[in-house]
Amino acid sequence: MNGLGTDGGGSTHNTVSSTHNTVSGDAVIVGPLVMAQHIEGIQLPPDPPDVPPSQGPMPSRVFVNRTKELADLRDAALSLAAGPEPGVVLVVGVGGVGKTQLVAQAVRRELHRLFPDGQLYVDLADHRRDGAVDIAAVLGEFLRALRVHKDYVPGGLAERTALFRSVAATLRLLVKVDNVQHAPEVRALVPPQGLLLATGRRVLPSLLMDGAVLIDVAPLDGAAGTELVRRWHADADEGTAADVVRLCAGHPLALRAALEWLAARPQLTLDDVVRDLTAGRYGTGDDGVREATGMAMGAGGGTEEGGVGEAVDTVLDSVVAGVSGHTRHLYDLLGVLPGTTATADLLTATGATQVDEGLGELLSCRLAVLVESSDRPRRYRLHDVVRAHARLRARALPEERRRAVLRLVVDFYADAAAHGDALVLGDRFRIQPPPVRPLSELAARGTLFTGRPDALEWLDAERANFRAAVRAAADEGWYEDVWRLCESLWALYHSRKHLADCVESGLLGIEAAQHEARPDVEIRMRNQVARAAYELGDLDRAESQLDAAADLLELVGDPRLSGVVLESRGLIALARGRSEDSPGAARDRAEEARRLFERALEANRAVPDPHGIVVQSYNVAQALVAGERWADALGVLDEAAEVARASGDAPMLLRIDLVRAKAFVGLGSLDRAVAAAGAAADAAAGLKQFAKLDQALELLTALADRAEDRPLRVACEEKLGALRRTMGLRPPAAPTA
């Protein structure tokens, strides 16, 4: 018998001193005043620190001769910030010319004062796939930076957009966005109040027609470049410094890389840099490579950009040739990696040695940067121009070596994802066997993650790299790895609602299963795509995937595969029932869902799978409630609760109590409904499932209002408001029954 103690546990406490009458299942009837006191005593997590976000690359201490650009940027920001509507500034220039640094300098010097509620930052290169940006993922990161708890971040783009606009409605925010390629990417991220500063490599005319202000950033001229060189190398001869600027085409990234390389070699002089760059002795000799690098510098492909690209390519060739052998090996590895960031653990797994020393040298040469991320493992990335150079170098590697590195990368991510899945979702049905390598063997030191929350954070931080690893495995024809990754990543995609990623990876998983002639895997993959489509509201697409999966069921032996397909069909039937205008039609849909869930339940009993039995019983009860068969639902829930208790399935006991409360409402037993909802609130607080706690409190508020129980209603409203403030949301309006 679950009590309603204030510590979120499951025992009966002395504070509940009024009469107790055990009702169907676990619900306990308590007096109204005691229940109100109990709700008041539910412990919420502490409020997050009230510190505005301050995201984005830090400004450099050495910054010269961008006086005009800084002034133009400041004037544009001041003018736009003074207007009633949010503004956009577009900063355009070739790759690596210093656009991001210009923005960082302007913000530090003056603009930060205009936006006291914080600064958000994203590099869209990290979220771009096949030319399109996952805007929903970007908005999810913004919402979490604005202290919206992950449990409250919805799955769909429309819902995330609406929540972002609601949360940011009264905030003066500065949003900084790098590597913009298309105007819609900017429009979706403009804060309701404040300013968006976007950097890109080409002008976006439609954005200018919307009222955006354009700031053009050109390479440094001779005088400015010479001043910058002499700031870094004080005793440099002016003529020699000017030669370096000319050879680097005034490109700040190339200048910095060349001077950092020289600074690490005190026995050399600036004349040595000029001589080597003039001779091009470290060049690849591959005109195609140089042309491609020039194209990577900017989208226009003009003569100026091509010249800058060749200059940067020559400098990077020289810098890479001058680093130690193990660092050069690390640089080449980074060029082969399919993702955009790397950890020391991944690099070690690919066979790199002296990883810490090599990363340190790459950082000191400004070839790599440390990704800003205080709550996750240290991640490193190459500047996008440097990454293009590294990947072009990788083309010259022997094919066997390149594939061997990719093989190690995919193996690392497949095993890490499987371990993460096991921690996040526990003992669920999986087709693949457990990974052979223990988790401890995947880390250079310590472990990658410990416990469910840590595992989920790690998986989320590696999301872009997982996506790239799945694609790389598909391109190489490593089909088993494709579907293994896809199956494991359900833990991430479902938990964090990365639904677009789930669809993309699932489609690759379907192709992989077909290549492998694995109907069991294809069913699993199609079901995952269907579930993502269902959560996105695309029920027709979900049903088409399930139809294709159902055609394969006679080819497989495990009844749980039919169970997952039947469950998804039942969920779709319930969703369609909620949209029916006619009560009779809604009941028919509920009955259809019940039959599907019953068949899924029988499939899980045939194994038997205790967790599957509980889940499908819970689903049957939901369908019975939707069909207004309240008493039948209570009987099913009681049986499910017995199995859940025996197997220690506390999260499902919580969900069972929520449905039980709705069944009691249908029977007109408000006191029992209140008791069941109170038990659910108690369990949700103890399990730190705050979205479920929100549901329980909202239900209790409506029940108290219907029962005219003012003390309970006030207690629930206050607790619900406090919870939502803690979760980063505004207090709710007064609920209705």
Side-chain angles (χ1 to χ4, degrees):
M1 179 173 65
N2 286 346
L4 296 172
T6 58
D7 65 348
S11 60
T12 303
H13 289 251
N14 293 331
T15 53
V16 185
S17 57
S18 62
T19 58
H20 296 60
N21 295 310
T22 302
V23 296
S24 177
D26 300 322
V28 174
I29 299 175
V30 299
L33 183 58
V34 173
M35 178 62 80
Q37 292 172 342
H38 168 73
I39 295 300
E40 291 171 355
I42 287 179
Q43 296 298 310
L44 300 181
D47 291 337
D50 189 15
V51 178
S54 182
Q55 299 180 335
M58 296 295 292
S60 170
R61 295 183 64 183
V62 179
F63 189 79
V64 300
N65 201 46
R66 293 296 191 189
T67 305
K68 180 181 184 305
E69 292 92 337
L70 281 172
D72 290 345
L73 185 52
R74 179 201 62 215
D75 292 346
L78 288 171
S79 174
L80 292 171
E85 302 295 331
V88 175
V89 176
L90 179 61
V91 181
V92 174
V94 298
V97 79
K99 304 182 293 294
T100 299
Q101 189 57 220
L102 175 70
V103 170
Q105 293 288 338
V107 171
R108 179 184 67 82
R109 297 181 185 200
E110 188 166 2
L111 300 188
H112 68 279
R113 291 191 289 269
L114 300 175
F115 307 100
D117 296 314
Q119 303 167 32
L120 301 173
Y121 171 79
V122 64
D123 185 342
L124 294 186
D126 292 337
H127 296 273
R128 196 178 304 280
R129 58 175 187 269
D130 297 331
V133 170
D134 187 351
I135 296 296
V138 176
L139 289 171
E141 292 183 0
F142 282 3
L143 287 167
R144 292 186 67 186
L146 293 171
R147 299 190 293 280
V148 175
H149 193 275
K150 62 182 183 297
D151 290 353
Y152 281 70
V153 176
L157 173 59
E159 293 84 357
R160 290 187 179 188
T161 300
L163 183 57
F164 174 65
R165 290 174 179 168
S166 176
V167 170
T170 61
L171 303 179
R172 298 286 293 174
L173 290 173
L174 176 63
V175 177
K176 298 171 288 185
V177 183
D178 276 343
N179 286 306
V180 169
Q181 293 184 5
H182 307 287
E185 300 168 355
V186 175
R187 296 188 184 108
L189 303 177
V190 176
Q193 292 194 52
L195 182 70
L196 186 143
L197 295 178
T199 72
R201 296 182 181 178
R202 61 189 180 93
V203 176
L204 302 176
S206 62
L207 208 58
L208 301 184
M209 293 177 67
D210 289 346
V213 176
L214 177 65
I215 306 293
D216 189 19
V217 182
L220 296 170
D221 60 25
T226 299
E227 180 186 351
L228 182 60
V229 170
R230 298 184 78 182
R231 286 273 190 93
W232 285 329
H233 201 69
D235 57 351
D237 173 79
E238 185 170 347
T240 307
D243 286 340
V244 173
V245 174
R246 174 179 54 79
L247 290 166
C248 291
H251 195 285
L253 178 66
L255 287 169
R256 177 130 199 171
L259 271 296
E260 289 280 359
W261 177 85
L262 177 62
R265 293 158 181 80
Q267 76 277 15
L268 301 181
T269 67
L270 202 59
D271 290 321
D272 294 312
V273 175
V274 172
R275 183 177 61 253
D276 289 349
L277 291 177
T278 301
R281 64 176 58 179
Y282 300 119
T284 63
D286 185 340
D287 291 337
V289 168
R290 291 192 181 280
E291 180 182 356
T293 306
M295 291 176 66
M297 297 295 298
T303 303
E304 180 181 359
E305 288 172 347
V308 173
E310 291 180 5
V312 174
D313 184 50
T314 300
V315 172
L316 294 178
D317 283 340
S318 299
V319 172
V320 172
V323 299
S324 58
H326 64 268
T327 301
R328 191 159 52 249
H329 174 67
L330 202 63
Y331 185 79
D332 288 339
L333 280 178
L334 290 167
V336 175
L337 298 183
T340 57
T341 65
T343 61
D345 296 318
L346 173 63
L347 294 168
T348 301
T350 60
T353 59
Q354 297 178 263
V355 172
D356 290 337
E357 294 85 345
L359 287 170
E361 191 169 6
L362 290 176
L363 289 171
S364 68
C365 291
R366 294 302 190 272
L367 294 175
V369 296
L370 183 64
V371 177
E372 180 182 321
S373 184
S374 60
D375 62 336
R376 294 169 176 170
R378 293 168 69 86
R379 284 175 168 77
Y380 305 85
R381 66 178 298 169
L382 301 177
H383 186 283
D384 51 357
V385 173
V386 179
R387 184 165 63 247
H389 175 265
R391 288 184 171 172
L392 289 165
R393 277 177 58 95
R395 293 183 186 177
L397 296 175
E399 181 65 12
E400 289 184 1
R401 181 183 172 193
R402 185 194 66 81
R403 292 190 87 234
V405 171
L406 277 180
R407 177 74 267 172
L408 293 169
V409 170
V410 171
D411 287 346
F412 173 86
Y413 279 124
D415 284 349
H419 282 293
D421 172 28
L423 283 171
V424 173
L425 293 183
D427 187 23
R428 73 177 179 112
F429 165 52
R430 298 175 178 86
I431 295 176
Q432 64 180 297
V436 175
R437 284 188 293 182
L439 185 58
S440 58
E441 287 188 12
L442 298 177
R445 60 179 71 89
T447 57
L448 296 183
F449 39 76
T450 57
R452 181 186 186 279
D454 193 27
L456 192 53
E457 286 299 318
W458 190 91
L459 292 172
D460 208 4
E462 290 282 358
R463 186 170 66 90
N465 294 330
F466 275 123
R467 193 168 63 229
V470 171
R471 285 180 178 176
D475 291 341
E476 296 294 334
W478 299 332
Y479 301 119
E480 182 178 351
D481 299 284
V482 172
W483 70 258
R484 279 185 62 205
L485 278 162
C486 293
E487 183 180 44
S488 297
L489 289 172
W490 174 255
L492 168 64
Y493 297 155
H494 179 66
S495 299
R496 289 290 169 85
K497 303 304 178 187
H498 296 309
L499 303 176
D501 282 3
C502 187
V503 171
E504 179 190 4
S505 68
L507 293 175
L508 291 174
I510 291 169
E511 293 180 11
Q514 292 170 340
H515 279 287
E516 293 275 285
R518 291 288 303 268
D520 55 341
V521 173
E522 184 176 348
I523 292 168
R524 191 64 186 265
M525 296 295 100
R526 288 191 182 277
N527 187 69
Q528 288 186 185
V529 173
R531 289 293 290 271
Y534 158 77
E535 293 200 42
L536 287 168
D538 191 349
L539 302 185
D540 291 338
R541 182 177 190 178
E543 285 194 321
S544 69
Q545 288 292 337
L546 294 174
D547 289 342
D551 291 340
L552 301 170
L553 286 174
E554 63 182 15
L555 302 177
V556 300
D558 194 320
R560 288 175 293 185
L561 288 166
S562 65
V564 298
V565 173
L566 291 165
E567 177 188 17
S568 298
R569 286 195 184 280
L571 292 172
I572 292 172
L574 279 182
R576 292 198 185 280
R578 287 191 289 268
S579 63
E580 295 284 0
D581 295 330
S582 164
R587 283 193 293 271
D588 289 343
R589 287 288 190 181
E591 178 60 18
E592 176 190 353
R594 183 197 64 78
R595 290 194 298 267
L596 290 164
F597 291 139
E598 286 278 11
R599 292 170 60 193
L601 175 58
E602 290 306 313
N604 280 274
R605 282 175 173 160
V607 177
D609 184 331
H611 177 69
I613 291 170
V614 174
V615 170
Q616 300 313 325
S617 298
Y618 163 81
N619 283 331
V620 169
Q622 286 199 100
L624 289 168
V625 168
E628 302 180 1
R629 294 171 57 182
W630 323 111
D632 291 339
L634 288 171
V636 172
L637 291 169
D638 288 344
E639 294 177 5
E642 288 183 13
V643 179
R645 277 195 297 271
S647 59
D649 201 340
M652 286 307 302
L653 284 170
L654 155 62
R655 294 165 185 256
I656 287 168
D657 272 330
L658 282 172
V659 178
R660 180 179 280 136
K662 295 174 184 178
F664 281 134
V665 172
L667 290 172
S669 181
L670 293 185
D671 55 350
R672 287 172 171 80
V674 167
D682 202 45
L687 293 170
K688 301 187 187 312
Q689 293 195 6
F690 301 118
K692 292 297 179 186
L693 176 57
D694 188 298
Q695 291 178 26
L697 290 172
E698 193 164 39
L699 178 57
L700 276 168
T701 304
L703 290 171
D705 195 52
R706 287 181 61 174
E708 299 182 352
D709 184 344
R710 188 174 184 280
L712 179 57
R713 189 192 67 194
V714 170
C716 290
E717 288 176 347
E718 291 179 351
K719 186 62 66 174
L720 190 57
L723 173 65
R724 291 182 177 176
R725 285 192 297 272
T726 300
M727 296 295 104
L729 303 179
R730 294 179 177 180
T736 58

